[in-house]
Every structure is written in structure tokens, then in C-alpha cells.
Amino acid sequence: QVQLQESGPGLVKPSQTLSLTCTVSGGSISSGGYYWSWIRQHPGKGLEWIGYIYYSGSTYYNPSLKSRVTISVDTSKNQFSLKLSSVTAADTAVYYCARVMAAAATRWFDPWGQGTLVTVSS
Amino acid sequence: SYVLTQPPSVSVAPGQTARITCGGNNIGSKSVHWYQQKPGQAPVLVVYDDSDRPSGIPERFSGSNSGNTATLTISRVEAGDEADYYCQVWDSSSDWVFGGGTKLTVL
């Protein structure tokens, strides 16, 4: 079955760029049929969708984060990545990657990676 | 933007039935998905498309959706069901919307 694993620095300084990578195993991103997404969860809070990418490179971002987010894909490594620029303490969160499942007029996330905590602090 | 409202907490004794609600304007016209999140772990999908279960999820987990309320029902609750539960919908105007989460406590 498909598994996802996030990786990247756990500490980022304010105003810098947060960079994370999600490695997919058990399935190929380039086989198509799925979108691949990033979601975050602030400490003790709910879930916030960040954006998604298709293997072709087409992307769609949460409008509230769009100006600072870039998601890219590397099909040769079966990975997709997140960059979030100009971070502040408000970006401290657990970041998850997940596969997007779609049916007629609906979408959901399954499975999810284990998540990685990113702390923004000097 | 579309808003989903969940009760902050639900408590139930072992062996009883837990019902976790998710309220939204005419939510019955949308498909609702439910996730279980245990402390320190990633969310796990337990119900999708209102009432379907992914493989590996016990039949004790079921869902329904009508009018302004969707409900996740957990029958014969076990201690291992203690977790936070989130509902989620998607539409082309709001994208992904999550409820605020409900903490299920098994007494």
C-alpha cells in the first residue's frame, strides 16, 4: 500500500523559507490519477489544507497561503515538496503530506504521512 | 466560506455507542469524510463519502448525513477508540474544510 514520509528541518528562523519533502513509496506519483497534498496542524489545533500538486506539475493553493507557498514534484525521485516563504511563529505546526482521493464532486485525504513538526524560532 | 461545527468533546462508557456530530449549512448535499487522530499520530481516514469505510476500519464505525448534520457513530466503543475526530467536506468554492475536531473520551 502507498506510504508517505515527510522530511526536512525541524527548526526554521523567522523570515526564512520552510522546506519539506514528502517521499512516496508503494506507488508511483507519475502513474497519475491522484493529487498530492500538504496539510498542517498548529499545536493543539485543527487541520489546515495548504495546497496540492498533480504529477504534471499543476498546482492549487489555499488562497490564504497562496502568496507564500510553492509545491513542486520530482517524479524521478517519487517525491513532492513544500516551500513556505517568509515564515513567522504562526507557521509553527506539524506538517503532513497526504494523497488526495477523489470521487464525483468530493475529495478526501488518504493516506497521510506521519507528520513532521516545524518550529519557527530564532 | 463554509463552516463545519463539531462539539469539543464527547464522553462514552466502554461498550456503549458514541455519536459525534458535524453541523453545516445543508451539509446533507455534500459528501462528508471522517478522520481519527490519536495523540502524537497522523489522522487516519475512518469513513469517507458519508458512510463508506476504508479497508481495515472496523464495522463499528459508521456514518450518516442528512439535512444540516452529519454523524459519525462508533458502536461498542473500546478504550482504543479514544482520539480526536475530525469531519471534512470539499467543494469547488471552499476547497477542503475541516471541522474543529471532537475529543472522544472513553470513561
Side-chain angles (χ1 to χ4, degrees):
Chain A
Q1 70 279 20
V2 171
Q3 293 183 308
L4 298 91
Q5 176 70 58
E6 305 88 350
S7 60
L11 181 64
V12 181
K13 289 182 167 51
S15 80
Q16 294 190 342
T17 296
L18 176 160
S19 296
L20 297 173
T21 296
C22 181
T23 301
V24 179
S25 59
S28 173
I29 288 178
S30 58
S31 64
Y34 300 103
Y35 295 100
W36 303 90
S37 187
W38 288 96
I39 303 126
R40 69 180 181 179
Q41 185 172 33
H42 295 101
K45 302 294 186 182
L47 298 158
E48 179 182 31
W49 167 70
I50 298 171
Y52 67 73
I53 191 165
Y54 197 52
Y55 79 97
S56 61
S58 62
T59 55
Y60 188 69
Y61 303 134
N62 185 327
S64 68
L65 297 169
K66 183 178 180 179
S67 63
R68 299 193 292 131
V69 173
T70 302
I71 298 177
S72 59
V73 65
D74 185 339
T75 55
S76 68
K77 295 182 179 178
N78 219 29
Q79 296 175 334
F80 62 104
S81 298
L82 168 70
K83 290 189 186 296
L84 181 65
S85 64
S86 305
V87 297
T88 69
D91 295 309
T92 294
V94 176
Y95 287 76
Y96 297 100
C97 56
R99 182 178 64 178
V100 177
M101 304 293 288
T106 191
R107 300 176 182 180
W108 62 94
F109 302 108
D110 184 51
W112 299 54
Q114 67 180 31
T116 187
L117 173 63
V118 178
T119 301
V120 178
S121 175
S122 56
Chain B
S1 63
Y2 195 75
V3 176
L4 295 175
T5 302
Q6 297 182 238
S9 63
V10 167
S11 299
V12 64
Q16 300 303 302
T17 297
R19 293 178 179 85
I20 299 172
T21 59
C22 177
N25 183 34
N26 197 26
I27 195 173
S29 67
K30 303 180 184 296
S31 292
V32 180
H33 319 291
W34 292 91
Y35 304 91
Q36 175 194 68
Q37 185 179 33
K38 296 181 179 180
Q41 297 184 21
V44 172
L45 182 73
V46 292
V47 167
Y48 67 97
D49 217 2
D50 293 340
S51 59
D52 290 333
R53 274 187 318 277
S55 60
I57 300 300
E59 292 184 5
R60 301 186 297 104
F61 289 82
S62 62
S64 62
N65 184 18
S66 178
N68 293 317
T69 304
T71 303
L72 174 69
T73 301
I74 309 171
S75 304
R76 302 181 298 283
V77 166
E78 303 172 357
D81 298 331
E82 191 161 281
D84 293 328
Y85 291 85
Y86 293 91
C87 59
Q88 176 248 307
V89 300
W90 180 91
D91 69 26
S92 58
S93 57
S94 300
D95 295 314
W96 280 271
V97 178
F98 290 96
T102 297
K103 180 176 180 57
L104 175 67
T105 299
V106 181
L107 301 170

